[in-house]
Amino acid sequence: GVGCIPREPQPAFALLMNKPDDFECWRMPDDGTVQKVTCVKDTKVPNAMTLVIEREDHTLGNILRMQMLEDDQVLFSGYRVPHPLEPAIQLKVQTRTDNPGPVQVVQSAIGNLKAELATLRERFEAAVNDREQHNPRMS
C-alpha cells in the first residue's frame, strides 16, 4: 500500500506484551500490600463464607474443595477463578451448623491435606530409595 513500510515478522513473545509477567503474578509482594487470605462472611446464607486466596489457582482450589466435601458437616464447597489474569481464587464453604463453622472446616481440611501429602511424600521417597537399592544403574 501507499506509505506502508514492510515489517519484519514479530517474535511470538512480542504478541504477549500486555500479558503480566508470570513470576510477578504468583509472587506475593514483599511490602505487605496484598493479604494472602481474606474471609468474607456470607450475610444471605447461614454458616457460609467466602475465602479469597491470593496468588493461587485451580491446583489449590480444587484440592481444598474436594477435601472439604469429605467432611459430613459441609453442605457446600466450591471455588472459582474470577478472571484468568487475576491471580486469586474464591473458595466458598457452607456448613450444617456454626460449630464447626466454615473457618474450622477449612482449617481441618488444610490439616488433613498436610497429613495426606506428608504420607504421599514418605511413600514416594521410600519407593525411590527402594528402586535405587534394587536397580543401582537406574539412578
Side-chain angles (χ1 to χ4, degrees):
V2 178
C4 292
I5 300 172
R7 289 184 8 162
E8 293 292 319
Q10 294 292 314
F13 67 86
L15 300 174
L16 299 174
M17 286 178 53
N18 289 335
K19 180 180 180 284
D21 179 44
D22 285 339
F23 179 75
E24 290 303 319
C25 279
W26 300 105
R27 185 177 161 276
M28 290 294 288
D30 294 330
D31 60 6
T33 56
V34 177
Q35 192 170 344
K36 181 67 176 175
V37 179
T38 306
C39 302
V40 180
K41 184 170 175 51
D42 195 317
T43 57
K44 296 180 182 176
V45 180
N47 306 317
M49 72 177 216
T50 300
L51 286 92
V52 178
I53 307 173
E54 292 291 333
R55 308 308 196 258
E56 297 295 343
D57 62 5
H58 295 284
T59 305
L60 183 66
N62 194 43
I63 198 168
L64 268 175
R65 172 186 70 91
M66 294 301 292
Q67 186 66 41
M68 285 190 289
L69 288 173
E70 295 289 321
D71 190 328
D72 61 353
Q73 293 299 311
V74 173
L75 288 174
F76 175 82
S77 176
Y79 79 97
R80 70 187 197 110
V81 177
H83 189 277
L85 293 178
E86 187 178 324
I89 58 171
Q90 295 174 349
L91 183 71
K92 182 140 184 156
V93 61
Q94 181 185 15
T95 56
R96 295 183 188 282
T97 64
D98 62 350
N99 191 15
V103 172
Q104 292 93 339
V105 165
V106 171
Q107 289 173 335
S108 175
I110 291 170
N112 292 340
L113 280 172
K114 287 170 96 173
E116 279 186 43
L117 292 171
T119 300
L120 177 66
R121 181 181 189 146
E122 290 168 10
R123 290 180 181 173
F124 178 80
E125 288 173 350
V128 168
N129 290 337
D130 185 54
R131 175 138 178 128
E132 287 174 347
Q133 288 177 358
H134 291 92
N135 298 317
R137 289 177 278 139
M138 298 296 286
S139 53

